[in-house]
Amino acid sequence: TLAELIDVLDVTRLDDDRFRGETIPLRLSGGGASERTVVDGSQLLGQAIVAAVRREPGRVVKSAHMIFARAASSEAPVDFEIDSLHSGRNFASLSVEVRQAERSCARALILLDGDAEDLVRRVEEAPSLPGPDQCEPFALGTIGRDVRFVEGTDYVEPDKIGPPTLDVWVQFAECPKELALCQALLAQMCGPLLIGVAMRPHPGLGESDAHRSLSTGVLTITLHFHDPGPVDDWFLFRHESVHVGRGLCDGIGRIYKSGKLVASFRQEGLLRSMPASATGLERTKLL
């Protein structure tokens, strides 16, 4: 449920520079296995954002870049170890390492800021699209998070093709009081869809093949918060695949609220054939 997801993102302080977070299994859409015993990379990014703000109270995350080195298991908690690169009057820069059972799983670089008045302002407006009331709901593994696809939900099927884009409305049934948890909820939504969008124009490939005949996984996510705020309204997530080749897929995304751009993200993903000799254990690994 959404409440359980918020609890997972709400990391616990162990000492000044270490935090611990619980984990939940990666839940898949489409016809593949419904659950894997690995942690969604965007969940780790969301937890790292919360840990960074707890380390630098009074500041807001402006950007975060995370590289995923190996999969974390959903059967044990993960630790976030923070190294402060700089903490000045205006900005703070942190390195956040994600560790589990003495193994390094991922690392993030996070920039935090206080706040400042506009010197100038120009904000990109959202495109004109059918609203959420006109769009089809899609189950994306979390009760309490309403997800609706503008173009329909057939992008997961290998025999369905479409453009390398996907527009998705998202609304959260609960709005945390802490801004960092609101940012973490948006971060957690940046991972699930871009690899499927990359496969969309190509016949015979679909999200339902992931971790069955296709080896897929998120390698990096970069997220920028332009206007951080509460998750108290519908958000429009615009996904676009910009390059696919050499076993990788690169995609970009924009997040709009109330018709205005509030965040943007970029993701690099793994997209390769699953080796025919792969064992069941190997099929649960991202890399």
Side-chain angles (χ1 to χ4, degrees):
T1 67
L2 181 63
E4 291 170 328
L5 176 59
I6 293 172
D7 285 343
V8 166
L9 296 172
D10 191 5
V11 296
T12 301
R13 183 187 290 273
L14 300 178
D15 56 39
D16 287 348
D17 295 314
R18 290 199 311 132
F19 297 80
R20 178 162 294 169
E22 298 302 318
T23 58
I24 51 177
L26 175 62
R27 290 173 172 82
L28 306 174
S29 58
S34 61
E35 190 173 284
R36 300 174 66 215
T37 57
V38 298
V39 179
D40 180 8
S42 54
Q43 175 201 305
L44 299 178
L45 177 60
Q47 291 172 306
I49 286 171
V50 176
V53 174
R54 303 272 169 85
R55 174 60 173 77
E56 292 285 339
R59 302 186 196 261
V60 178
V61 171
K62 304 303 289 185
S63 65
H65 174 72
M66 180 169 274
I67 297 176
F68 304 95
R70 56 172 59 89
S73 169
S74 61
E75 298 177 344
V78 288
D79 289 338
F80 298 84
E81 300 182 359
I82 297 179
D83 180 19
S84 177
L85 306 179
H86 173 74
S87 183
R89 186 174 66 254
N90 294 315
F91 296 98
S93 303
L94 304 178
S95 171
V96 183
E97 184 180 12
V98 183
R99 301 187 63 85
Q100 187 178 57
E102 306 304 321
R103 289 162 53 90
S104 181
C105 299
R107 188 183 293 271
L109 291 175
I110 298 181
L111 175 68
L112 302 98
D113 188 14
D115 204 359
E117 295 182 358
D118 294 339
L119 177 61
V120 293
R121 172 167 280 262
R122 184 189 69 83
V123 181
E124 181 180 308
E125 295 188 357
S128 179
L129 293 170
D133 292 342
Q134 301 170 268
C135 299
E136 185 177 354
F138 184 76
L140 203 60
T142 298
I143 299 171
R145 181 177 60 190
D146 194 346
V147 178
R148 304 192 180 193
F149 282 26
V150 175
E151 297 95 340
T153 60
D154 60 4
Y155 96 110
V156 301
E157 300 302 330
D159 59 343
K160 304 289 186 180
I161 61 173
T165 59
L166 192 68
D167 293 306
V168 180
W169 290 101
V170 179
Q171 185 181 54
F172 301 96
E174 179 179 347
C175 178
K177 294 181 180 179
E178 187 179 353
L179 178 58
L181 286 171
C182 293
Q183 292 182 286
L185 284 174
L186 292 183
Q188 199 272 336
M189 269 298 300
C190 291
L193 298 174
L194 270 170
I195 295 177
V197 174
M199 292 188 276
R200 195 177 185 203
H202 305 284
L205 296 180
E207 184 72 21
S208 59
D209 292 324
H211 317 298
R212 302 174 75 185
S213 60
L214 297 177
S215 180
T216 66
V218 178
L219 301 176
T220 70
I221 298 177
T222 301
L223 175 58
H224 299 277
F225 293 101
H226 310 303
D227 274 317
V231 290
D232 57 356
D233 200 353
W234 283 98
F235 289 85
L236 175 65
F237 282 70
R238 299 212 81 191
H239 303 82
E240 180 184 1
S241 174
V242 295
H243 184 270
V244 182
R246 297 180 179 267
L248 301 173
C249 52
D250 190 15
I252 58 176
R254 287 179 169 83
I255 307 173
Y256 300 88
K257 178 187 175 185
S258 301
K260 304 294 184 182
L261 182 70
V262 295
S264 57
F265 58 98
R266 189 167 196 130
Q267 181 194 102
E268 188 171 34
L270 178 74
L271 181 56
R272 303 182 183 185
S273 297
M274 182 76 74
S277 60
T279 66
L281 176 62
E282 290 169 335
R283 288 172 182 267
T284 68
K285 297 180 180 179
L286 288 177
L287 301 176

